[in-house]
Amino acid sequence: LDDTCKWPTFDMLVIDEAQDLLEDEYLDVLDLLLEGGLAGGRWVLFGDFERQAIYMSEGGPSALKAIEALSKRAPVHAKYSLRVNCRNAEPIAETLVITSGLAPGYKRVLHDNEGSDVDPLFYSSASDQEKQLAYAIGRLREIFKAGEIMVLSMRNDENSCAGSASSGSIGVQLAPMRKVQDGQTIPFSSIHAYKGLEAPAVVITDIESLDDEKTRSLLYVGMSRARIRLFMLMSKNCRTSYDRILDAGLEMASR
C-alpha cells in the first residue's frame, strides 16, 4: 500500500470467533479499519481460546501466542471470562464440561428446553457405522423434522460416513448442507464448515480416536453445535478412551 490508498475506518469493531482471526495479517487489517487502531480505538472481541482455536492448531500460532500478539498492539484492554452456556441443553452442557476438561466449568446454563443425555454409539466397521447413523437418525426423526437434524463429521464431506451413505443405502435422504433446498433432506457437513452454527439435533460421525488434543478440540466444537439432542458415533477402539475421559472429567467436576 502507498500513501494514496485510503481505507474506510469505523468507530467501533465487534468481532465474534476472534480465536480464528488473531494472526498478524488479520490484525494489520483491523488496525487499519478501526479509528485509532487497536491501541486507541473501541473494539470488542469474543472468542473461545480454550477449545475452539482449531485453525490455529493447523500450522498457525497457538491461542496463547495469538492473545499475546493482540496485547502487543493493544496493551491496555480489559479481559472478561464468559462462563454462561447460552446454547446447549443442560445434559449436553454437562457432557461438554466432563469430556473437554473445562476448568472452571459453566457457571450456569440458560437453555430451558429439556434435553436428553448424550448418546454414544460404537461401530466396528464402515458399514456398521452407516447402520448406527440410520438408527440415530431414526430416533431423532421421532421428535425432530429433517431440517432440524445435522450430521457432522470429523472428515470432509466426500470421506464422511454420511457422504458414503447419501446415495440412500441406509434408507435416509442425505445431502451436503450447501445442496439441501427442501425440508425432507437431512444435511451433513464437516465440523470445520459448520463452526459457528447450531441445530436442535446433531449426529457426529467418524470419531476414530480420542487420544490427541487436536481431535478433542474438534470434537468439542461439533458437540457444542447441538442445542437439544446429541448422538456421537465412535469407533469401538475409542470406548476405553471415552470411559477414561468421562472418569477423569467426573473426578475433576467433583472437586
Side-chain angles (χ1 to χ4, degrees):
L1 297 176
D2 56 41
D3 293 337
T4 64
C5 295
K6 179 63 177 177
W7 285 74
T9 56
F10 299 88
D11 295 331
M12 184 172 184
L13 292 178
V14 180
I15 300 174
D16 195 13
E17 303 289 349
Q19 75 278 350
D20 298 331
L21 298 174
L22 297 192
E23 298 188 39
D24 285 334
E25 295 83 354
Y26 293 117
L27 291 174
D28 287 340
V29 174
L30 297 179
D31 252 334
L32 291 169
L33 288 176
L34 182 62
E35 187 72 33
L38 292 171
R42 301 172 63 213
W43 50 266
V44 180
L45 275 65
F46 298 93
D48 183 346
F49 296 90
E50 294 175 274
R51 291 292 182 273
Q52 293 203 47
I54 57 176
Y55 295 110
M56 291 181 180
S57 64
E58 296 180 351
S62 68
L64 180 60
K65 288 184 177 179
I67 295 174
E68 290 176 351
L70 175 63
S71 297
K72 289 179 180 178
R73 295 177 184 247
V76 181
H77 66 272
K79 299 177 183 177
Y80 297 93
S81 178
L82 304 178
R83 292 288 173 181
V84 177
N85 186 307
C86 303
R87 172 183 290 144
N88 311 115
E90 189 166 350
I92 297 175
E94 290 176 350
T95 303
L96 279 169
V97 171
I98 292 170
T99 57
S100 63
L102 281 180
Y106 301 122
K107 290 182 178 178
R108 58 194 176 111
V109 177
L110 293 184
H111 203 307
D112 57 2
N113 283 347
E114 183 178 352
S116 300
D117 291 338
V118 175
D119 291 289
L121 300 175
F122 297 91
Y123 58 85
S124 58
S125 63
S127 60
D128 187 34
Q129 182 175 200
E130 291 187 7
K131 293 177 182 178
Q132 300 280 19
L133 176 58
Y135 168 78
I137 291 175
R139 292 281 306 277
L140 293 175
R141 288 292 280 128
E142 296 173 2
I143 305 171
F144 299 97
K145 299 177 182 178
E148 295 176 321
I149 301 170
M150 172 59 66
V151 179
L152 297 178
S153 176
M154 309 288 281
R155 304 172 180 170
N156 58 33
D157 288 355
E158 293 76 13
N159 296 315
S160 69
C161 173
S164 301
S166 61
S167 61
S169 59
I170 62 173
V172 178
Q173 192 173 352
L174 299 165
M177 175 178 64
R178 63 186 180 278
K179 295 182 179 180
V180 173
Q181 298 179 345
D182 59 63
Q184 305 303 315
T185 302
I186 295 175
F188 64 85
S189 169
S190 68
I191 294 175
H192 281 90
Y194 202 65
K195 191 170 179 291
L197 302 175
E198 62 182 39
V202 168
V203 182
I204 302 178
T205 67
D206 304 300
I207 305 171
E208 296 289 338
S209 172
L210 296 172
D211 294 331
D212 65 272
E213 192 64 28
K214 178 180 175 181
T215 298
R216 290 177 63 180
S217 293
L218 185 61
L219 185 59
Y220 172 87
V221 174
M223 293 173 64
S224 61
R225 302 307 95 196
R227 297 208 316 267
I228 302 173
R229 193 74 188 272
L230 173 63
F231 279 86
M232 298 196 302
L233 274 57
M234 293 180 274
S235 167
K236 287 187 175 180
N237 297 329
C238 296
R239 186 184 292 272
T240 300
S241 296
Y242 185 70
D243 291 342
R244 184 175 65 247
I245 291 169
L246 288 179
D247 290 342
L250 287 169
E251 181 179 351
M252 181 179 296
S254 65
R255 292 175 183 174

